[in-house]
Amino acid sequence: VATHASADPFSKVKKMIKDLIVKLMEQANSEADHKAYCDTELATNKLTRENKQSEVEELSASIDKHIAESAQLTEELALLADGLAELRKEQSEATAIRHEEKATNALTVTDAKAAQVAVERATKVLRDFYEKAAGAALLQEPYTGMQSEHGGIVGFLEVILSDFARLETETSTAEDQAASAYEKFMDETNEDVAVKTTESDHKTAKKRNVDAETESLKKELELTQEELDAANAYYDKLKPDCVDNGLSYTDRVRMREEEIQSMKEALNILDQQDLV
């Protein structure tokens, strides 16, 4: 009975040691499985977070670039609009001046022609009268009247006639030159208007496309940011179980193996004690 009693404590201790060894080995296997799971999840999550962060930064930079481009196009379109407005104002002013100038020149030419007709008729009347008076003087005592001065009057009328003829010619020439200059100005400004209008249309279409791309990029950024937020949230969820905050996994494995080895040595000592 005493022998059985003395052997019994060793048997219980050895069973406890064996049970602890098994438990430690099960913990080691379980932790190894958990470590493999964590390594896989953390690596995948890290890659996802890095990729999504990079995408967010690229999308943000692209959006900023598109916004700046749109602002530049808006400024350029405003300058084109101002240029077109100025050209149309100049055309309107030139057209008003041309109409007024044309009307004035036409009236001047009409008046000059009418004046020439009147002067020619007056000159003819005077010449006819004095020629008849000169003929009558050969047959009878001549009537002198203002005959001595008729040459001066007729000469003066001829000068006036020449002035009106010159005025008609010069006015017609000036009208032709002004009309030609106006047409040239309108052709040049119309070409400039066409170029600016085409450029404005192209920039308007480009701005519309840039703004549409910006909206698309913003939506893509929103979705990508949500994916990044989800990856960060999952990382926060993994950290308590998968990120070492105390002993590292390597240290825990080493210490557990040392603990198992110590228990095996203790068990071996007890087994040897049984043989004594």
Side-chain angles (χ1 to χ4, degrees), residues 233-263:
Y234 185 54
Y235 177 66
D236 291 338
K237 183 180 179 181
L238 288 173
K239 281 195 295 185
D241 294 330
C242 295
V243 178
D244 293 322
N245 292 319
L247 290 175
S248 67
Y249 172 76
T250 302
D251 289 338
R252 290 198 302 274
V253 170
R254 177 181 55 78
M255 294 182 69
R256 185 182 293 110
E257 288 177 349
E258 290 176 354
E259 185 177 6
I260 291 172
Q261 184 60 36
S262 296
M263 289 186 177

PDB file of all heavy atoms in Angstrom, residues 233-263:
ATOM      1  N   ALA A 233     -10.162  49.830 -42.611  1.00  0.00           N
ATOM      2  CA  ALA A 233     -11.023  49.324 -41.535  1.00  0.00           C
ATOM      3  C   ALA A 233     -10.727  47.842 -41.274  1.00  0.00           C
ATOM      4  O   ALA A 233     -10.689  47.394 -40.113  1.00  0.00           O
ATOM      5  CB  ALA A 233     -12.494  49.518 -41.912  1.00  0.00           C
ATOM      6  N   TYR A 234     -10.508  47.080 -42.340  1.00  0.00           N
ATOM      7  CA  TYR A 234     -10.196  45.654 -42.174  1.00  0.00           C
ATOM      8  C   TYR A 234      -8.836  45.488 -41.504  1.00  0.00           C
ATOM      9  O   TYR A 234      -8.651  44.572 -40.685  1.00  0.00           O
ATOM     10  CB  TYR A 234     -10.222  44.956 -43.528  1.00  0.00           C
ATOM     11  CG  TYR A 234     -10.022  43.465 -43.449  1.00  0.00           C
ATOM     12  CD1 TYR A 234     -10.827  42.673 -42.630  1.00  0.00           C
ATOM     13  CD2 TYR A 234      -9.010  42.841 -44.167  1.00  0.00           C
ATOM     14  CE1 TYR A 234     -10.643  41.300 -42.546  1.00  0.00           C
ATOM     15  CE2 TYR A 234      -8.814  41.471 -44.091  1.00  0.00           C
ATOM     16  CZ  TYR A 234      -9.633  40.707 -43.273  1.00  0.00           C
ATOM     17  OH  TYR A 234      -9.443  39.345 -43.186  1.00  0.00           O
ATOM     18  N   TYR A 235      -7.889  46.377 -41.836  1.00  0.00           N
ATOM     19  CA  TYR A 235      -6.576  46.317 -41.184  1.00  0.00           C
ATOM     20  C   TYR A 235      -6.716  46.580 -39.689  1.00  0.00           C
ATOM     21  O   TYR A 235      -6.080  45.897 -38.870  1.00  0.00           O
ATOM     22  CB  TYR A 235      -5.643  47.344 -41.819  1.00  0.00           C
ATOM     23  CG  TYR A 235      -4.291  47.411 -41.158  1.00  0.00           C
ATOM     24  CD1 TYR A 235      -3.410  46.340 -41.221  1.00  0.00           C
ATOM     25  CD2 TYR A 235      -3.897  48.554 -40.460  1.00  0.00           C
ATOM     26  CE1 TYR A 235      -2.162  46.389 -40.612  1.00  0.00           C
ATOM     27  CE2 TYR A 235      -2.649  48.626 -39.853  1.00  0.00           C
ATOM     28  CZ  TYR A 235      -1.795  47.530 -39.923  1.00  0.00           C
ATOM     29  OH  TYR A 235      -0.567  47.590 -39.308  1.00  0.00           O
ATOM     30  N   ASP A 236      -7.542  47.554 -39.316  1.00  0.00           N
ATOM     31  CA  ASP A 236      -7.787  47.833 -37.902  1.00  0.00           C
ATOM     32  C   ASP A 236      -8.406  46.629 -37.208  1.00  0.00           C
ATOM     33  O   ASP A 236      -8.140  46.377 -36.020  1.00  0.00           O
ATOM     34  CB  ASP A 236      -8.704  49.053 -37.756  1.00  0.00           C
ATOM     35  CG  ASP A 236      -8.022  50.350 -38.168  1.00  0.00           C
ATOM     36  OD1 ASP A 236      -6.770  50.383 -38.151  1.00  0.00           O
ATOM     37  OD2 ASP A 236      -8.726  51.311 -38.534  1.00  0.00           O
ATOM     38  N   LYS A 237      -9.224  45.895 -37.958  1.00  0.00           N
ATOM     39  CA  LYS A 237      -9.854  44.694 -37.403  1.00  0.00           C
ATOM     40  C   LYS A 237      -8.833  43.572 -37.221  1.00  0.00           C
ATOM     41  O   LYS A 237      -8.913  42.780 -36.264  1.00  0.00           O
ATOM     42  CB  LYS A 237     -10.981  44.246 -38.317  1.00  0.00           C
ATOM     43  CG  LYS A 237     -11.754  43.040 -37.816  1.00  0.00           C
ATOM     44  CD  LYS A 237     -12.866  42.672 -38.791  1.00  0.00           C
ATOM     45  CE  LYS A 237     -13.639  41.439 -38.321  1.00  0.00           C
ATOM     46  NZ  LYS A 237     -14.715  41.063 -39.271  1.00  0.00           N
ATOM     47  N   LEU A 238      -7.868  43.487 -38.126  1.00  0.00           N
ATOM     48  CA  LEU A 238      -6.847  42.438 -38.052  1.00  0.00           C
ATOM     49  C   LEU A 238      -5.815  42.705 -36.954  1.00  0.00           C
ATOM     50  O   LEU A 238      -5.283  41.758 -36.363  1.00  0.00           O
ATOM     51  CB  LEU A 238      -6.117  42.317 -39.397  1.00  0.00           C
ATOM     52  CG  LEU A 238      -6.875  41.693 -40.564  1.00  0.00           C
ATOM     53  CD1 LEU A 238      -6.047  41.814 -41.834  1.00  0.00           C
ATOM     54  CD2 LEU A 238      -7.195  40.223 -40.290  1.00  0.00           C
ATOM     55  N   LYS A 239      -5.538  43.971 -36.709  1.00  0.00           N
ATOM     56  CA  LYS A 239      -4.438  44.324 -35.812  1.00  0.00           C
ATOM     57  C   LYS A 239      -4.512  43.671 -34.424  1.00  0.00           C
ATOM     58  O   LYS A 239      -3.477  43.166 -33.944  1.00  0.00           O
ATOM     59  CB  LYS A 239      -4.351  45.853 -35.674  1.00  0.00           C
ATOM     60  CG  LYS A 239      -3.670  46.507 -36.851  1.00  0.00           C
ATOM     61  CD  LYS A 239      -3.251  47.941 -36.558  1.00  0.00           C
ATOM     62  CE  LYS A 239      -4.442  48.838 -36.315  1.00  0.00           C
ATOM     63  NZ  LYS A 239      -4.021  50.255 -36.160  1.00  0.00           N
ATOM     64  N   PRO A 240      -5.649  43.661 -33.746  1.00  0.00           N
ATOM     65  CA  PRO A 240      -5.655  43.067 -32.392  1.00  0.00           C
ATOM     66  C   PRO A 240      -5.207  41.614 -32.358  1.00  0.00           C
ATOM     67  O   PRO A 240      -4.567  41.180 -31.400  1.00  0.00           O
ATOM     68  CB  PRO A 240      -7.116  43.203 -31.960  1.00  0.00           C
ATOM     69  CG  PRO A 240      -7.641  44.346 -32.760  1.00  0.00           C
ATOM     70  CD  PRO A 240      -6.965  44.246 -34.088  1.00  0.00           C
ATOM     71  N   ASP A 241      -5.548  40.847 -33.390  1.00  0.00           N
ATOM     72  CA  ASP A 241      -5.226  39.421 -33.407  1.00  0.00           C
ATOM     73  C   ASP A 241      -3.984  39.092 -34.212  1.00  0.00           C
ATOM     74  O   ASP A 241      -3.373  38.035 -33.994  1.00  0.00           O
ATOM     75  CB  ASP A 241      -6.411  38.623 -33.990  1.00  0.00           C
ATOM     76  CG  ASP A 241      -7.640  38.679 -33.108  1.00  0.00           C
ATOM     77  OD1 ASP A 241      -7.474  38.795 -31.882  1.00  0.00           O
ATOM     78  OD2 ASP A 241      -8.761  38.626 -33.650  1.00  0.00           O
ATOM     79  N   CYS A 242      -3.610  39.955 -35.140  1.00  0.00           N
ATOM     80  CA  CYS A 242      -2.549  39.576 -36.077  1.00  0.00           C
ATOM     81  C   CYS A 242      -1.279  40.418 -35.980  1.00  0.00           C
ATOM     82  O   CYS A 242      -0.256  40.056 -36.561  1.00  0.00           O
ATOM     83  CB  CYS A 242      -3.079  39.646 -37.511  1.00  0.00           C
ATOM     84  SG  CYS A 242      -4.391  38.435 -37.877  1.00  0.00           S
ATOM     85  N   VAL A 243      -1.363  41.569 -35.325  1.00  0.00           N
ATOM     86  CA  VAL A 243      -0.175  42.413 -35.220  1.00  0.00           C
ATOM     87  C   VAL A 243       0.401  42.274 -33.818  1.00  0.00           C
ATOM     88  O   VAL A 243      -0.291  42.485 -32.818  1.00  0.00           O
ATOM     89  CB  VAL A 243      -0.514  43.884 -35.508  1.00  0.00           C
ATOM     90  CG1 VAL A 243       0.725  44.761 -35.335  1.00  0.00           C
ATOM     91  CG2 VAL A 243      -1.064  44.027 -36.921  1.00  0.00           C
ATOM     92  N   ASP A 244       1.669  41.883 -33.731  1.00  0.00           N
ATOM     93  CA  ASP A 244       2.310  41.675 -32.429  1.00  0.00           C
ATOM     94  C   ASP A 244       2.465  43.003 -31.695  1.00  0.00           C
ATOM     95  O   ASP A 244       3.051  43.950 -32.223  1.00  0.00           O
ATOM     96  CB  ASP A 244       3.695  41.036 -32.621  1.00  0.00           C
ATOM     97  CG  ASP A 244       3.588  39.622 -33.166  1.00  0.00           C
ATOM     98  OD1 ASP A 244       2.659  38.906 -32.760  1.00  0.00           O
ATOM     99  OD2 ASP A 244       4.439  39.257 -34.006  1.00  0.00           O
ATOM    100  N   ASN A 245       1.942  43.026 -30.490  1.00  0.00           N
ATOM    101  CA  ASN A 245       2.094  44.212 -29.660  1.00  0.00           C
ATOM    102  C   ASN A 245       3.006  43.955 -28.462  1.00  0.00           C
ATOM    103  O   ASN A 245       3.440  44.884 -27.805  1.00  0.00           O
ATOM    104  CB  ASN A 245       0.724  44.686 -29.151  1.00  0.00           C
ATOM    105  CG  ASN A 245      -0.147  45.212 -30.287  1.00  0.00           C
ATOM    106  OD1 ASN A 245       0.336  45.900 -31.162  1.00  0.00           O
ATOM    107  ND2 ASN A 245      -1.419  44.855 -30.268  1.00  0.00           N
ATOM    108  N   GLY A 246       3.237  42.643 -28.158  1.00  0.00           N
ATOM    109  CA  GLY A 246       4.117  42.271 -27.056  1.00  0.00           C
ATOM    110  C   GLY A 246       5.248  41.426 -27.603  1.00  0.00           C
ATOM    111  O   GLY A 246       6.069  41.899 -28.384  1.00  0.00           O
ATOM    112  N   LEU A 247       5.243  40.133 -27.188  1.00  0.00           N
ATOM    113  CA  LEU A 247       6.228  39.202 -27.732  1.00  0.00           C
ATOM    114  C   LEU A 247       5.927  38.921 -29.193  1.00  0.00           C
ATOM    115  O   LEU A 247       4.782  38.787 -29.597  1.00  0.00           O
ATOM    116  CB  LEU A 247       6.199  37.891 -26.945  1.00  0.00           C
ATOM    117  CG  LEU A 247       6.730  37.941 -25.504  1.00  0.00           C
ATOM    118  CD1 LEU A 247       6.506  36.587 -24.830  1.00  0.00           C
ATOM    119  CD2 LEU A 247       8.198  38.310 -25.484  1.00  0.00           C
ATOM    120  N   SER A 248       6.971  38.812 -29.962  1.00  0.00           N
ATOM    121  CA  SER A 248       6.779  38.485 -31.365  1.00  0.00           C
ATOM    122  C   SER A 248       6.421  37.007 -31.492  1.00  0.00           C
ATOM    123  O   SER A 248       6.613  36.202 -30.568  1.00  0.00           O
ATOM    124  CB  SER A 248       8.053  38.771 -32.153  1.00  0.00           C
ATOM    125  OG  SER A 248       9.089  37.872 -31.741  1.00  0.00           O
ATOM    126  N   TYR A 249       5.883  36.662 -32.629  1.00  0.00           N
ATOM    127  CA  TYR A 249       5.509  35.267 -32.871  1.00  0.00           C
ATOM    128  C   TYR A 249       6.734  34.377 -32.744  1.00  0.00           C
ATOM    129  O   TYR A 249       6.668  33.285 -32.157  1.00  0.00           O
ATOM    130  CB  TYR A 249       4.889  35.133 -34.261  1.00  0.00           C
ATOM    131  CG  TYR A 249       4.643  33.704 -34.674  1.00  0.00           C
ATOM    132  CD1 TYR A 249       3.573  32.985 -34.147  1.00  0.00           C
ATOM    133  CD2 TYR A 249       5.493  33.063 -35.578  1.00  0.00           C
ATOM    134  CE1 TYR A 249       3.345  31.667 -34.508  1.00  0.00           C
ATOM    135  CE2 TYR A 249       5.282  31.742 -35.952  1.00  0.00           C
ATOM    136  CZ  TYR A 249       4.202  31.048 -35.412  1.00  0.00           C
ATOM    137  OH  TYR A 249       3.985  29.739 -35.780  1.00  0.00           O
ATOM    138  N   THR A 250       7.863  34.827 -33.250  1.00  0.00           N
ATOM    139  CA  THR A 250       9.100  34.032 -33.181  1.00  0.00           C
ATOM    140  C   THR A 250       9.514  33.793 -31.741  1.00  0.00           C
ATOM    141  O   THR A 250       9.906  32.665 -31.364  1.00  0.00           O
ATOM    142  CB  THR A 250      10.233  34.752 -33.930  1.00  0.00           C
ATOM    143  OG1 THR A 250       9.839  34.975 -35.285  1.00  0.00           O
ATOM    144  CG2 THR A 250      11.511  33.925 -33.901  1.00  0.00           C
ATOM    145  N   ASP A 251       9.388  34.847 -30.915  1.00  0.00           N
ATOM    146  CA  ASP A 251       9.743  34.698 -29.507  1.00  0.00           C
ATOM    147  C   ASP A 251       8.782  33.746 -28.801  1.00  0.00           C
ATOM    148  O   ASP A 251       9.203  32.924 -27.958  1.00  0.00           O
ATOM    149  CB  ASP A 251       9.730  36.049 -28.811  1.00  0.00           C
ATOM    150  CG  ASP A 251      10.897  36.932 -29.244  1.00  0.00           C
ATOM    151  OD1 ASP A 251      11.898  36.376 -29.717  1.00  0.00           O
ATOM    152  OD2 ASP A 251      10.781  38.171 -29.116  1.00  0.00           O
ATOM    153  N   ARG A 252       7.502  33.823 -29.125  1.00  0.00           N
ATOM    154  CA  ARG A 252       6.523  32.926 -28.494  1.00  0.00           C
ATOM    155  C   ARG A 252       6.784  31.475 -28.888  1.00  0.00           C
ATOM    156  O   ARG A 252       6.694  30.563 -28.059  1.00  0.00           O
ATOM    157  CB  ARG A 252       5.097  33.330 -28.886  1.00  0.00           C
ATOM    158  CG  ARG A 252       4.627  34.639 -28.269  1.00  0.00           C
ATOM    159  CD  ARG A 252       3.121  34.777 -28.311  1.00  0.00           C
ATOM    160  NE  ARG A 252       2.586  34.697 -29.664  1.00  0.00           N
ATOM    161  CZ  ARG A 252       2.489  35.733 -30.485  1.00  0.00           C
ATOM    162  NH1 ARG A 252       2.929  36.933 -30.093  1.00  0.00           N
ATOM    163  NH2 ARG A 252       1.985  35.582 -31.685  1.00  0.00           N
ATOM    164  N   VAL A 253       7.100  31.251 -30.153  1.00  0.00           N
ATOM    165  CA  VAL A 253       7.421  29.885 -30.603  1.00  0.00           C
ATOM    166  C   VAL A 253       8.644  29.367 -29.880  1.00  0.00           C
ATOM    167  O   VAL A 253       8.677  28.208 -29.386  1.00  0.00           O
ATOM    168  CB  VAL A 253       7.648  29.863 -32.125  1.00  0.00           C
ATOM    169  CG1 VAL A 253       8.221  28.511 -32.560  1.00  0.00           C
ATOM    170  CG2 VAL A 253       6.328  30.136 -32.855  1.00  0.00           C
ATOM    171  N   ARG A 254       9.672  30.211 -29.785  1.00  0.00           N
ATOM    172  CA  ARG A 254      10.901  29.789 -29.117  1.00  0.00           C
ATOM    173  C   ARG A 254      10.651  29.477 -27.648  1.00  0.00           C
ATOM    174  O   ARG A 254      11.082  28.433 -27.137  1.00  0.00           O
ATOM    175  CB  ARG A 254      11.954  30.898 -29.233  1.00  0.00           C
ATOM    176  CG  ARG A 254      13.272  30.591 -28.502  1.00  0.00           C
ATOM    177  CD  ARG A 254      14.251  31.739 -28.648  1.00  0.00           C
ATOM    178  NE  ARG A 254      13.677  32.995 -28.190  1.00  0.00           N
ATOM    179  CZ  ARG A 254      13.552  33.339 -26.907  1.00  0.00           C
ATOM    180  NH1 ARG A 254      13.951  32.504 -25.936  1.00  0.00           N
ATOM    181  NH2 ARG A 254      13.025  34.500 -26.557  1.00  0.00           N
ATOM    182  N   MET A 255       9.934  30.345 -26.967  1.00  0.00           N
ATOM    183  CA  MET A 255       9.685  30.136 -25.538  1.00  0.00           C
ATOM    184  C   MET A 255       8.789  28.928 -25.313  1.00  0.00           C
ATOM    185  O   MET A 255       8.967  28.180 -24.328  1.00  0.00           O
ATOM    186  CB  MET A 255       9.051  31.391 -24.944  1.00  0.00           C
ATOM    187  CG  MET A 255       9.992  32.597 -24.942  1.00  0.00           C
ATOM    188  SD  MET A 255       9.265  34.081 -24.193  1.00  0.00           S
ATOM    189  CE  MET A 255       9.195  33.547 -22.474  1.00  0.00           C
ATOM    190  N   ARG A 256       7.808  28.733 -26.236  1.00  0.00           N
ATOM    191  CA  ARG A 256       6.941  27.560 -26.079  1.00  0.00           C
ATOM    192  C   ARG A 256       7.740  26.277 -26.295  1.00  0.00           C
ATOM    193  O   ARG A 256       7.563  25.282 -25.574  1.00  0.00           O
ATOM    194  CB  ARG A 256       5.779  27.637 -27.077  1.00  0.00           C
ATOM    195  CG  ARG A 256       4.759  26.501 -26.870  1.00  0.00           C
ATOM    196  CD  ARG A 256       3.641  26.561 -27.892  1.00  0.00           C
ATOM    197  NE  ARG A 256       2.807  27.731 -27.703  1.00  0.00           N
ATOM    198  CZ  ARG A 256       2.777  28.765 -28.516  1.00  0.00           C
ATOM    199  NH1 ARG A 256       3.555  28.770 -29.590  1.00  0.00           N
ATOM    200  NH2 ARG A 256       1.993  29.784 -28.258  1.00  0.00           N
ATOM    201  N   GLU A 257       8.618  26.291 -27.278  1.00  0.00           N
ATOM    202  CA  GLU A 257       9.456  25.112 -27.520  1.00  0.00           C
ATOM    203  C   GLU A 257      10.372  24.854 -26.326  1.00  0.00           C
ATOM    204  O   GLU A 257      10.609  23.685 -25.942  1.00  0.00           O
ATOM    205  CB  GLU A 257      10.282  25.323 -28.791  1.00  0.00           C
ATOM    206  CG  GLU A 257       9.447  25.259 -30.068  1.00  0.00           C
ATOM    207  CD  GLU A 257      10.287  25.535 -31.309  1.00  0.00           C
ATOM    208  OE1 GLU A 257      11.455  25.973 -31.141  1.00  0.00           O
ATOM    209  OE2 GLU A 257       9.779  25.319 -32.416  1.00  0.00           O
ATOM    210  N   GLU A 258      10.903  25.936 -25.744  1.00  0.00           N
ATOM    211  CA  GLU A 258      11.745  25.775 -24.551  1.00  0.00           C
ATOM    212  C   GLU A 258      10.927  25.212 -23.400  1.00  0.00           C
ATOM    213  O   GLU A 258      11.416  24.367 -22.620  1.00  0.00           O
ATOM    214  CB  GLU A 258      12.366  27.123 -24.162  1.00  0.00           C
ATOM    215  CG  GLU A 258      13.416  27.629 -25.130  1.00  0.00           C
ATOM    216  CD  GLU A 258      13.916  29.014 -24.750  1.00  0.00           C
ATOM    217  OE1 GLU A 258      13.349  29.593 -23.795  1.00  0.00           O
ATOM    218  OE2 GLU A 258      14.858  29.510 -25.404  1.00  0.00           O
ATOM    219  N   GLU A 259       9.663  25.697 -23.313  1.00  0.00           N
ATOM    220  CA  GLU A 259       8.802  25.191 -22.237  1.00  0.00           C
ATOM    221  C   GLU A 259       8.498  23.710 -22.442  1.00  0.00           C
ATOM    222  O   GLU A 259       8.546  22.908 -21.484  1.00  0.00           O
ATOM    223  CB  GLU A 259       7.499  25.991 -22.208  1.00  0.00           C
ATOM    224  CG  GLU A 259       6.592  25.612 -21.033  1.00  0.00           C
ATOM    225  CD  GLU A 259       5.340  26.467 -20.973  1.00  0.00           C
ATOM    226  OE1 GLU A 259       5.111  27.277 -21.895  1.00  0.00           O
ATOM    227  OE2 GLU A 259       4.564  26.313 -20.000  1.00  0.00           O
ATOM    228  N   ILE A 260       8.194  23.346 -23.682  1.00  0.00           N
ATOM    229  CA  ILE A 260       7.917  21.928 -23.981  1.00  0.00           C
ATOM    230  C   ILE A 260       9.160  21.081 -23.698  1.00  0.00           C
ATOM    231  O   ILE A 260       9.075  19.984 -23.114  1.00  0.00           O
ATOM    232  CB  ILE A 260       7.469  21.765 -25.438  1.00  0.00           C
ATOM    233  CG1 ILE A 260       6.087  22.388 -25.638  1.00  0.00           C
ATOM    234  CG2 ILE A 260       7.444  20.297 -25.850  1.00  0.00           C
ATOM    235  CD1 ILE A 260       5.629  22.439 -27.089  1.00  0.00           C
ATOM    236  N   GLN A 261      10.311  21.586 -24.113  1.00  0.00           N
ATOM    237  CA  GLN A 261      11.551  20.848 -23.890  1.00  0.00           C
ATOM    238  C   GLN A 261      11.831  20.675 -22.397  1.00  0.00           C
ATOM    239  O   GLN A 261      12.250  19.588 -21.946  1.00  0.00           O
ATOM    240  CB  GLN A 261      12.721  21.593 -24.563  1.00  0.00           C
ATOM    241  CG  GLN A 261      14.055  20.868 -24.478  1.00  0.00           C
ATOM    242  CD  GLN A 261      14.018  19.502 -25.152  1.00  0.00           C
ATOM    243  OE1 GLN A 261      13.351  19.315 -26.172  1.00  0.00           O
ATOM    244  NE2 GLN A 261      14.714  18.527 -24.556  1.00  0.00           N
ATOM    245  N   SER A 262      11.537  21.732 -21.617  1.00  0.00           N
ATOM    246  CA  SER A 262      11.743  21.634 -20.156  1.00  0.00           C
ATOM    247  C   SER A 262      10.824  20.578 -19.565  1.00  0.00           C
ATOM    248  O   SER A 262      11.221  19.789 -18.682  1.00  0.00           O
ATOM    249  CB  SER A 262      11.468  22.994 -19.507  1.00  0.00           C
ATOM    250  OG  SER A 262      12.400  23.954 -19.952  1.00  0.00           O
ATOM    251  N   MET A 263       9.560  20.575 -20.038  1.00  0.00           N
ATOM    252  CA  MET A 263       8.615  19.572 -19.520  1.00  0.00           C
ATOM    253  C   MET A 263       9.027  18.166 -19.932  1.00  0.00           C
ATOM    254  O   MET A 263       8.877  17.219 -19.148  1.00  0.00           O
ATOM    255  CB  MET A 263       7.214  19.877 -20.038  1.00  0.00           C
ATOM    256  CG  MET A 263       6.602  21.124 -19.402  1.00  0.00           C
ATOM    257  SD  MET A 263       4.891  21.373 -19.893  1.00  0.00           S
ATOM    258  CE  MET A 263       4.480  22.816 -18.912  1.00  0.00           C
TER     259      MET A 263
END
